[in-house]
Amino acid sequence: TVASPLPADHPSLQHAAQVLHDRHHPARRLPIAAMLPHSAPTRDPKQWTLSLKTVTLPDEEPRAVINMCFRTIGYYGQEGQGKFLSAGGNVRLSRAFFVLTKVLDNRMHDQLREKLGLGYVASFGNVCYTMLDGGFCYLNLTAFPERVDETVEAAMSFLRDLETKKVTESELRRARDPIVANREASLASNATWQGYLTDLQQPCIPKSLGDIKEVYDHFESVSLAEVNQACHLCIRPGHVWAVAGVTTVIKSEITEGGVTKAE
């Protein structure tokens, strides 16, 4: 069953827009209103579909900032209306999904930036909510203004290829090893333990210190099959909302009084 799309005023989309908005320098920030869908299109389980809005941004350099997002599961595997992807193992699934996002982040960088040369930045990430149902995946790209359409199509092709292009063992090691290497520093952080204590409020989380300490054991032992299963369950063909901010170059000059004047 494919979940219904989120309404434009859903907290998930509002937060997604805010996160994407705040990632950029104030001079290049995208208007929040421009990042929210005017209406929620029907999700098609067989293919990816796209809504793209283009806005102009003042800047001193020609560039295009493209932000794309689509719906996924929540941190504990929740899809909405109290439904979960499976009866158990949801936390382990979310950890496999986290590793998957690192795999896809590396793959996007290699494919869109290094291989195709479509821009300066190409990254993939996700936000999975704990207290709200669902979450979202996002693709961030800094592209050349004259190649916006080409870059967006390359990103959509990247998503379509996930149906057949499985994660490889080398991709898994490249994504997982830095996570495991950060074990000691993370467990020594107050923010980490505060997050774990917050998570304990969820009824589906085991109330055991051992389960918390085994977080990194889960990351270390996550298998290739689990990561590919996470890709199948958590990244489903659906609708992508996208906004492209294309800059209009501002020419500046310094006056005698030392005041910058923009033309």
Side-chain angles (χ1 to χ4, degrees):
T1 301
V2 178
S4 61
L6 294 172
D9 60 351
H10 191 281
S12 298
L13 280 179
Q14 295 284 348
H15 181 67
Q18 188 66 56
V19 169
L20 297 178
H21 179 274
D22 290 344
R23 288 178 67 88
H24 303 286
H25 187 276
R28 299 192 293 272
R29 285 183 178 174
L30 305 182
I32 289 294
M35 308 187 71
L36 298 175
H38 298 294
S39 61
T42 303
R43 288 173 63 92
D44 186 340
K46 297 181 180 179
Q47 63 180 355
W48 291 96
T49 55
L50 173 71
S51 292
L52 173 64
K53 183 169 184 176
T54 302
V55 297
T56 57
L57 302 170
D59 200 353
E60 296 180 358
E61 298 179 9
R63 72 181 72 220
V65 179
I66 304 169
N67 294 314
M68 309 169 71
C69 64
F70 59 91
R71 183 175 178 172
T72 186
I73 64 166
Y75 186 78
Y76 306 109
Q78 68 270 35
E79 296 184 281
Q81 300 177 343
K83 296 180 181 178
F84 286 80
L85 284 177
S86 60
N90 294 305
V91 174
R92 189 171 179 91
L93 172 64
S94 74
R95 291 168 186 161
F97 184 29
F98 179 76
V99 174
L100 172 67
T101 62
K102 301 303 180 183
V103 170
L104 299 184
D105 183 54
N106 292 333
R107 187 185 288 182
M108 269 198 68
H109 178 273
D110 294 346
Q111 184 172 322
L112 272 71
R113 176 182 171 174
E114 300 299 325
K115 183 178 179 180
L116 299 178
L118 288 176
Y120 314 105
V121 175
S123 62
F124 186 99
N126 72 317
V127 174
C128 293
Y129 295 110
T130 55
M131 301 301 182
L132 297 175
D133 286 332
F136 66 93
C137 292
Y138 57 85
L139 296 82
N140 293 329
L141 306 113
T142 303
F144 303 106
E146 67 276 10
R147 302 182 71 180
V148 168
D149 291 341
E150 182 184 357
T151 304
V152 170
E153 179 52 38
M156 294 299 293
S157 295
F158 176 87
L159 293 176
R160 297 186 193 103
D161 289 345
L162 296 180
E163 292 292 315
T164 55
K165 191 175 181 180
K166 303 299 183 184
V167 177
T168 65
E169 188 65 42
S170 62
E171 285 183 314
L172 173 59
R173 288 196 302 269
R174 180 184 174 191
R176 182 184 57 198
D177 289 354
I179 299 173
V180 176
N182 193 45
R183 174 199 298 252
E184 296 302 324
S186 180
L187 291 179
S189 167
N190 287 335
T192 297
W193 289 96
Q194 183 180 10
Y196 289 155
L197 291 173
T198 301
D199 291 345
L200 287 175
Q201 300 176 49
Q202 293 291 329
C204 57
I205 295 300
K207 307 301 188 288
S208 167
L209 183 60
D211 287 285
I212 294 177
K213 289 185 174 181
E214 290 168 4
V215 168
Y216 282 90
D217 292 333
H218 286 178
F219 281 130
E220 192 168 11
S221 64
V222 67
S223 68
L224 191 62
E226 287 178 307
V227 173
N228 280 310
Q229 181 193 38
C231 188
H232 176 71
L233 292 174
C234 305
I235 302 183
R236 306 179 186 183
H239 197 80
V240 179
W241 286 277
V243 60
V246 181
T247 62
T248 55
V249 178
I250 299 176
K251 296 181 180 179
S252 301
E253 62 180 21
I254 304 298
T255 65
E256 293 182 0
V259 179
T260 301
K261 181 181 178 181
E263 295 181 354

